[in-house]
Amino acid sequence: MNQSLEKKHVSLRDAEKKAEDLFKAIEEKGILRGGVTEKQINQEIYELAFQMFGIKKYWHKRIVRAGRNTLYPYRENPPDLTVSEEDIIFLDFGPIFEDWEADFGRTYVLGEDPMKIKLRNDLEQAWEEGKAFFQSNPTITGSELFAFACDLAKKYGWEFGSPIAGHLIGEFPHEQIQGDEVENYIHPDNPVPMREPDQNGQTRDWILEIHFIDRELKIGGFFEQLLTVE
């Protein structure tokens, strides 16, 4: 591995580790709770991230979704909800650490609702299966991994809730790396092998995101992290 690629991977791993530490602190400080709005939780997480790491920049909008809002994929902007004492919540944050992007998503359950707990647990297991499928298929395309993610949703008894199952990740600003072309996403119309280098001959690194929903129960959940950097 050349030095520039190794530096990139070290930086991406470090950014994700810091995002993981942030999410642990969110739990420990009891920020996720009933009786407050999604917007208020979002602001408290922003303040915590600044205190811990001095983060002011995020490469995409910060997402806190609870209750029926967990049905909505990234591009939607549902109205701000007040979190209930028995709610399901997911977070999707893209903080920037020293000009390197992280993208981290997790689901949390307030209370003891068995279906919500099942959903939270299924998401992590499905993500690991998606990673294993990627690793076992050297020529896998974006469309093939997206189809596998949709099959995972059915396997676990859910519906896949997003039009994509992930995207490229790298150095900020993200817009220089990722446009709207489907080749930059784990997308049903992306026929390009995910391990194929970019136009500059550089390795492309990916985020895998799993979004499962149940429209009748009006709940959804989300799990995402680095797929390609070990």
Side-chain angles (χ1 to χ4, degrees):
M1 183 181 293
N2 63 51
Q3 287 186 336
S4 63
L5 182 57
E6 176 61 23
K7 179 182 177 182
K8 175 186 178 184
H9 285 178
V10 168
S11 298
L12 287 172
R13 286 193 297 266
D14 182 63
E16 179 170 76
K17 178 60 170 61
K18 289 176 179 176
E20 186 175 6
D21 289 344
L22 171 62
F23 275 49
K24 288 179 181 176
I26 290 166
E27 286 190 90
E28 291 169 356
K29 293 182 179 298
I31 290 174
L32 304 178
R33 64 202 189 277
V36 296
T37 65
E38 297 165 326
K39 185 176 181 180
Q40 183 175 339
I41 289 174
N42 198 322
Q43 182 60 33
E44 290 179 18
I45 294 173
Y46 177 84
E47 292 169 358
L48 176 62
F50 181 74
Q51 291 169 11
M52 291 179 66
F53 300 109
I55 300 170
K56 292 184 178 180
K57 294 188 295 183
Y58 293 78
W59 66 265
H60 70 64
K61 63 184 179 183
R62 307 188 310 272
I63 291 177
V64 176
R65 294 210 173 131
R68 65 180 180 274
N69 280 355
T70 57
L71 294 171
Y72 292 101
Y74 170 82
R75 291 189 181 274
E76 300 295 327
N77 295 290
D80 189 31
L81 290 183
T82 297
V83 179
S84 78
E85 300 293 339
E86 300 290 322
D87 239 332
I88 190 166
I89 305 169
F90 80 68
L91 309 177
D92 177 8
F93 278 64
I96 299 166
F97 299 95
E98 299 176 359
D99 293 326
W100 287 92
E101 301 166 348
D103 203 3
F104 208 73
R106 291 293 186 271
T107 297
Y108 305 88
V109 176
L110 307 182
E112 301 296 332
D113 184 289
M115 288 302 292
K116 293 173 183 174
I117 292 171
K118 178 183 184 300
L119 175 54
R120 180 197 64 198
N121 295 342
D122 287 351
L123 288 161
E124 184 169 2
Q125 293 177 29
W127 191 95
E128 292 293 344
E129 288 192 49
K131 178 181 179 180
F133 184 72
F134 171 84
Q135 291 178 328
S136 67
N137 290 270
T139 60
I140 190 170
T141 66
S143 59
E144 288 170 339
L145 187 52
F146 179 83
F148 186 76
C150 292
D151 288 342
L152 284 171
K154 295 176 184 176
K155 171 184 172 180
Y156 283 95
W158 309 100
E159 176 185 345
F160 200 78
S162 175
I164 66 169
H167 53 78
L168 292 176
I169 192 75
E171 191 170 7
F172 186 78
H174 196 73
E175 294 77 18
Q176 292 182 2
I177 299 174
Q178 179 176 328
D180 288 331
E181 296 83 3
V182 296
E183 290 81 4
N184 297 320
Y185 296 87
I186 301 172
H187 186 284
D189 297 328
N190 180 6
V192 179
M194 294 174 65
R195 290 181 177 84
E196 187 171 289
D198 65 19
Q199 59 186 2
N200 298 315
Q202 299 297 312
T203 299
R204 298 187 299 164
D205 292 296
W206 296 88
I207 292 286
L208 174 62
E209 52 187 55
I210 301 294
H211 184 201
F212 290 170
I213 63 174
D214 187 306
R215 297 186 191 278
E216 290 187 8
L217 296 177
K218 297 182 179 179
I219 61 172
F222 188 75
F223 190 102
E224 73 170 338
Q225 64 187 42
L226 274 170
L227 173 65
T228 53
V229 180
E230 297 298 332

